[in-house]
Amino acid sequence: MLKIKNLKASINNKEILKGINLEVKPGEVHAIMGPNGSGKSTLAAVLAGNEVFEVTEGEITYLGEDLLNLSVEKRASKGIFLGFQYPIEIPGVSMVNFMKSAVNEQRKTRGEEPLTASAFLKLMREKKEIVELEAKLTNRSVNEGFSGGEKKKNEIFQMAMLEPKLAILDETDSGLDIDALRIVANGINKLKTKDNATIVITHYQRLLDYIVPDFVHILYNGRIVKTAGKELALELEEKGYDWIKSQID
Amino acid sequence: MEWGWGEALKNNQMKDIKDINQKYIDLYTKNKDILHSNSSEFVNQIREKAFGAFQTLGIPTKSNEEYKYTDLSNTFSKDYTNYLNKKCENLNIESIFKCDVINLDADVFYLSKGWYQNTEKIKTYNNGVIIGSLKAVSEKYPDIFNKHYSKYADCTKDGLVALNTSLAQDGLFIYVPKNVKAEKPIQLINLLLDNNDEFSNVRNLFIIEDNAKVDIIFCNDSLTENTFLTNSVTEIFVGENAHLNYHKVQNDHNKSSNISSTFIHQSANSNVESVTISLIGGLIRNNLTVVLDGKGANNNTYGISLADKKQHMDNYSFIHHKEAHCDSAQLFKNILDDSATGAFNGKVLVDRNAQKTNALQSNKNILLANNAKMNTKPQLIIYADDVKCSHGATVGQLDESAMFYMRARGIGKKEAKMLLMYAFAFEIIGKIKVEELRNNIEDLVIRRLNGELGLCKNCSQRVIN
């Protein structure tokens, strides 16, 4: 589904990603862990197409296509979803209008008919249940006045609405209390099928108590320095990132 | 009587402000007899006073601090076919034009170049409301008229008010007596539908007595693509505990200049909410003066201007807190594209005895293009010591992080931009109290932001050939 080869990316001429290699197949869950500043969020942003970052080398193939040639919105309509670490507040744009635009713009790009108003509202109702999102939140402006937990639930709600093929969740667990974490993780699990894939970016092992990864990658200083099964997360939790650093540096 | 005055005034490009002023001085002196024969003695006395003031004041130039950002010399130096327009007696606008604000149930009154157009000169209602031609009312109801006319728009301070007071012949008059709640919104539509280039003066007077309540909508529409200059003055008196929701919609075109001065005089515990929507216009200058002249008066003023190409939109406001315990809030916004220019020049003055004043003043602007330009000057002048006042201004681009967030959800650049601009504008549009109008303005703003001409369906049809 996704093949990343020797990916290098920089911002303001500072190289952040220094040669990433990664392959993700349908039905897989990948966890990417690593200390602050290792390039985790940059990798997520580059996959989503954030133009702030410049890709200087390497290639990304997604569903057989050169991903780097596609605009942000094209990638989204082809099934790439980025769950934001810091979801953006958009005062004055209601959640309903935002989601309606997103769903229908994606459908338009794929050559599908827009959803009718009633079909759209029905879909909203169904998907809200997945993350136990309070009904009143969808009447508000996007993320405005949402608590940290509500913002993260809202990301998973949007993911449920858009049914992506590849979800990249950037520190979706950060800032969540234990109940919200369980709800968010359950939401992610409910959305999992044999055809879609998930990349979970996290600092901590605790999210992986709920979401069981097939692979754990450790990103350090712009490179994936270690890949193993889910047991790697536990080992990392126990020994800390210094353990990795001491092996590499 | 001869009305072909425009010809005599034709002149080669007048650039010098002295020449421009002389042109309008000549206009008055040459036509004084006709103007006077058309109005009451009371109005004519004020005309003379205003003309005297205009000779001293002239058309405001950029050296006038309050007109610093708007150059009026170009529009006033143009040659118009008509400067003082005769009323078209057989225009019958009611039958050829209908505003298509969907489901808006309003009492509609038409002006063309300032002349009142409805067949019924003065409409009187069972509850005592009087609406009609300013000219007709000045003759039929001098007691009410003379008490208020020219009392709020000081014709000795601003050259444009002086010019209007010298030359204006008609407009709309509204009187809502004590304790009366007007049943329907009152809609005033000033249409420019000539095939000539026209300079016109519009003069309105609205009197809302104690404890009365009314919604007023003032629409300005240019229907033909001629060059228009409209200089309008609207005086509004709001009695004690009275409520006014006032809406002004400016929907002109690139060759029109719309200068609109509004003077609102508020008594104790009165409430005024005003929303100005400037959709299109080559040059728009809105002057708003609010005097809070009684304890507990409340004024909220909102405005949004959408300008592109070489359009220029300038909002000037002066809020005078004369008494204690009054609140005022202002929020003006601009979205400027291409080489459009915008200006906000707002002043809040709090008198020494106006203690416990709350005054907010805010101006927010989005520039969509490198050549778009915004000048903003929010000012507070405070002589009282126990007040809460704040002011501020922002000028920026569309929020890049919000753009990325929306695009990452599959929303294309164009649509994302629209959503953000619309959200920015909605903070103002949402303040419109008349629901049907609000829905229609929402639609117009979306079409305007999409680059379609913002005209209503009916207004975009040329009704006069």
Side-chain angles (χ1 to χ4, degrees):
Chain A
M1 177 181 266
L2 180 77
K3 260 187 201 160
I4 305 176
K5 264 195 216 158
N6 191 33
L7 180 70
K8 294 184 181 176
S10 56
I11 185 166
N12 300 332
N13 295 322
K14 186 171 184 269
E15 190 167 69
I16 311 285
L17 301 182
K18 298 171 180 171
I20 301 271
N21 293 291
L22 182 67
E23 181 168 3
V24 179
K25 295 197 177 89
E28 290 178 350
V29 176
H30 290 246
I32 296 179
M33 303 182 74
N36 288 328
S38 57
K40 303 189 297 296
S41 289
T42 301
L43 176 61
V46 168
L47 286 173
N50 195 337
E51 288 138 2
V52 170
F53 298 95
E54 193 195 347
V55 175
T56 52
E57 223 181 299
E59 54 189 72
I60 308 176
T61 327
Y62 169 71
L63 298 174
E65 235 182 313
D66 178 4
L67 189 71
L68 295 172
N69 269 339
L70 301 176
S71 66
V72 183
E73 52 271 31
K74 262 271 169 61
R75 294 181 198 198
S77 55
K78 285 182 183 289
I80 288 190
F81 178 89
L82 172 64
F84 280 61
Q85 183 179 3
Y86 304 109
I88 309 293
E89 295 186 8
I90 314 177
V93 178
S94 74
M95 268 308 294
V96 176
N97 279 344
F98 173 67
M99 276 332 295
K100 201 185 284 172
S101 296
V103 169
N104 285 334
E105 284 263 294
Q106 288 204 10
R107 293 179 70 92
K108 194 170 85 186
T109 311
R110 292 192 296 256
E112 299 162 11
E113 287 293 311
L115 285 185
T116 62
S118 62
F120 174 77
L121 291 173
K122 187 167 167 273
L123 186 70
M124 287 265 287
R125 267 198 307 276
E126 285 169 16
K127 303 297 186 183
K128 266 191 278 196
E129 283 172 21
I130 292 180
V131 285
E132 302 171 32
L133 193 72
E134 276 185 72
K136 62 172 195 230
L137 292 183
T138 48
N139 295 326
R140 289 209 213 140
S141 292
V142 177
N143 290 320
E144 195 183 41
F146 286 36
S147 69
E150 283 165 348
K151 282 181 183 169
K152 294 300 176 76
K153 277 190 205 173
N154 192 16
E155 292 296 290
I156 306 306
F157 163 67
Q158 292 172 40
M159 175 178 157
M161 287 291 293
L162 299 169
E163 297 178 333
K165 294 190 177 79
L166 174 65
I168 304 144
L169 304 173
D170 189 6
E171 301 210 19
T172 298
D173 55 335
S174 67
L176 292 184
D177 63 34
I178 197 73
D179 293 326
L181 181 70
R182 184 177 42 78
I183 292 167
V184 164
N186 282 344
I188 296 167
N189 286 331
K190 276 185 209 163
L191 296 171
K192 193 172 172 289
T193 69
K194 64 176 176 27
D195 300 317
N196 62 22
T198 313
I199 298 174
V200 184
I201 292 172
T202 182
H203 266 299
Y204 306 106
Q205 190 271 334
R206 63 172 193 167
L207 179 67
L208 306 179
D209 287 343
Y210 299 95
I211 301 170
V212 183
D214 300 299
F215 300 93
V216 175
H217 310 276
I218 294 170
L219 190 62
Y220 177 63
N221 199 15
R223 286 189 188 88
I224 289 175
V225 293
K226 207 171 177 73
T227 295
K230 61 184 178 191
E231 67 285 350
L232 179 59
L234 290 167
E235 197 175 359
L236 197 62
E237 182 82 355
E238 193 185 311
K239 296 181 178 165
Y241 286 117
D242 285 343
W243 163 61
I244 294 295
K245 289 179 189 171
S246 65
Q247 287 192 337
I248 309 296
D249 294 336
Chain B
M1 214 160 278
E2 279 296 312
W3 289 83
W5 313 320
E7 291 303 314
L9 295 162
K10 279 206 173 169
N11 197 326
N12 288 331
Q13 287 288 308
M14 283 178 287
K15 285 290 171 211
D16 194 301
I17 191 68
K18 271 187 191 159
D19 293 342
I20 298 171
N21 287 336
Q22 195 56 46
K23 169 170 123 173
Y24 291 91
I25 290 168
D26 292 348
L27 177 68
Y28 183 81
T29 46
K30 283 182 187 162
N31 299 288
K32 187 178 154 181
D33 291 346
I34 303 168
L35 285 165
H36 278 241
S37 69
N38 265 323
S39 310
S40 73
E41 185 53 32
F42 175 79
V43 170
N44 287 334
Q45 279 174 18
I46 293 170
R47 248 185 231 299
E48 281 291 292
K49 182 181 155 198
F51 177 62
F54 180 74
Q55 287 174 287
T56 318
L57 295 166
I59 306 292
T61 63
K62 289 179 86 175
S63 60
N64 179 334
E65 194 61 25
E66 284 161 4
Y67 285 86
K68 195 174 167 180
Y69 304 118
T70 295
D71 184 2
L72 295 170
S73 64
N74 196 26
T75 183
F76 275 93
S77 70
K78 274 184 189 142
D79 285 332
Y80 296 92
T81 315
N82 291 310
Y83 284 85
L84 283 178
N85 336 82
K86 186 168 70 164
K87 180 173 181 181
C88 296
E89 292 296 347
N90 50 3
L91 199 53
N92 201 6
I93 286 181
E94 286 163 281
S95 67
I96 55 175
F97 176 85
K98 195 177 173 300
C99 171
D100 67 350
V101 174
I102 301 152
N103 298 327
L104 178 64
D105 185 16
D107 274 328
V108 185
F109 298 87
Y110 296 98
L111 300 178
S112 176
K113 294 172 286 176
W115 286 101
Y116 179 86
Q117 296 293 340
N118 291 40
T119 337
E120 209 176 347
K121 286 259 178 302
I122 300 174
K123 198 171 169 187
T124 51
Y125 297 70
N126 289 336
N127 56 12
V129 170
I130 301 168
I131 308 175
S133 147
L134 187 89
K135 175 172 150 55
V137 166
S138 71
E139 288 154 7
K140 195 170 178 194
Y141 298 99
D143 291 352
I144 310 174
F145 180 88
N146 295 0
K147 197 177 153 192
H148 295 281
Y149 182 74
S150 196
K151 293 288 184 298
Y152 315 112
D154 189 340
C155 65
T156 62
K157 282 199 176 138
D158 183 316
L160 296 173
V161 176
L163 188 64
N164 176 283
T165 312
S166 312
L167 299 173
Q169 300 173 87
D170 202 3
L172 188 73
F173 174 89
I174 300 174
Y175 171 71
V176 186
K178 259 184 197 172
N179 303 322
V180 170
K181 314 255 178 286
E183 282 171 26
K184 294 179 181 179
I186 298 165
Q187 188 182 16
L188 164 60
I189 305 176
N190 185 42
L191 294 172
L192 293 165
L193 36 65
D194 273 75
N195 286 326
N196 295 318
D197 297 343
E198 303 275 347
F199 164 67
S200 60
N201 287 280
V202 182
R203 183 74 181 217
N204 304 311
L205 174 60
F206 306 152
I207 301 160
I208 299 109
E209 286 195 336
D210 295 355
N211 210 28
K213 187 168 191 257
V214 65
D215 294 335
I216 297 175
I217 303 162
F218 182 8
C219 298
N220 293 267
D221 294 281
S222 303
L223 301 189
T224 46
E225 285 182 5
N226 290 79
T227 305
F228 296 120
L229 167 57
T230 306
N231 179 31
S232 74
V233 170
T234 302
E235 292 181 282
I236 306 176
F237 170 83
V238 187
E240 285 186 18
N241 204 34
H243 277 252
L244 166 67
N245 291 317
Y246 184 60
H247 311 89
K248 187 163 75 179
V249 183
Q250 294 163 316
N251 200 351
D252 296 303
H253 56 56
N254 289 330
K255 280 160 80 183
S256 72
S257 298
N258 186 338
I259 300 162
S260 166
S261 304
T262 309
F263 294 82
I264 302 178
H265 190 96
Q266 288 187 241
S267 314
N269 299 313
S270 62
N271 257 292
V272 173
E273 292 244 345
S274 81
V275 184
T276 300
I277 311 281
S278 307
L279 284 171
I280 296 190
L283 183 154
I284 290 180
R285 162 78 180 203
N286 291 311
N287 291 324
L288 173 72
T289 301
V290 175
V291 178
L292 300 171
D293 197 21
K295 281 184 182 149
N298 183 34
N299 179 285
N300 292 317
T301 296
Y302 307 99
I304 177 114
S305 302
L306 310 173
D308 60 3
K309 304 193 179 74
K310 286 181 179 169
Q311 296 166 0
H312 176 77
M313 299 191 184
D314 180 356
N315 278 288
Y316 167 83
S317 71
F318 174 54
I319 314 287
H320 188 173
H321 282 256
K322 280 180 112 166
E323 294 286 338
H325 296 280
C326 293
D327 295 346
S328 71
Q330 296 175 73
L331 175 59
F332 282 92
K333 290 187 160 188
N334 287 275
I335 301 178
L336 305 173
D337 202 353
D338 304 329
S339 329
T341 49
F344 172 73
N345 191 346
K347 201 188 277 177
V348 176
L349 171 63
V350 181
D351 282 358
R352 189 181 298 276
N353 59 336
Q355 300 294 1
K356 306 284 179 192
T357 287
N358 281 311
L360 303 169
Q361 184 190 48
S362 173
N363 171 231
K364 295 179 182 172
N365 309 289
I366 289 183
L367 303 182
L368 298 172
N370 287 339
N371 288 330
K373 189 175 170 187
M374 180 71 203
N375 285 301
T376 177
K377 200 170 136 197
Q379 307 163 76
L380 292 173
I381 304 164
I382 304 169
Y383 293 105
D385 52 15
D386 185 11
V387 300
K388 239 190 251 173
C389 296
S390 72
H391 65 163
T394 58
V395 181
Q397 279 97 38
L398 288 177
D399 183 349
E400 282 297 325
S401 60
M403 280 292 288
F404 177 65
Y405 190 64
M406 288 196 272
R407 292 177 66 203
R409 296 296 174 256
I411 303 173
K413 248 185 189 169
K414 194 175 165 229
E415 176 78 9
K417 199 172 144 188
M418 263 301 290
L419 281 169
L420 285 184
M421 289 194 292
Y422 183 70
F424 182 80
F426 190 76
E427 198 182 349
I428 304 295
I429 299 162
K431 304 292 184 189
I432 297 174
K433 289 276 164 61
V434 181
E435 192 187 339
E436 298 81 9
L437 178 70
R438 187 174 61 242
N439 294 338
N440 193 67
I441 294 293
E442 273 187 50
D443 183 49
L444 280 177
V445 166
I446 289 171
R447 284 163 60 189
R448 172 73 171 106
L449 292 173
N450 263 327
E452 300 163 30
L453 209 62
L455 293 173
C456 296
K457 279 198 284 303
N458 269 333
C459 294
S460 58
Q461 288 162 6
R462 298 286 135 69
V463 289
I464 294 270
N465 293 311

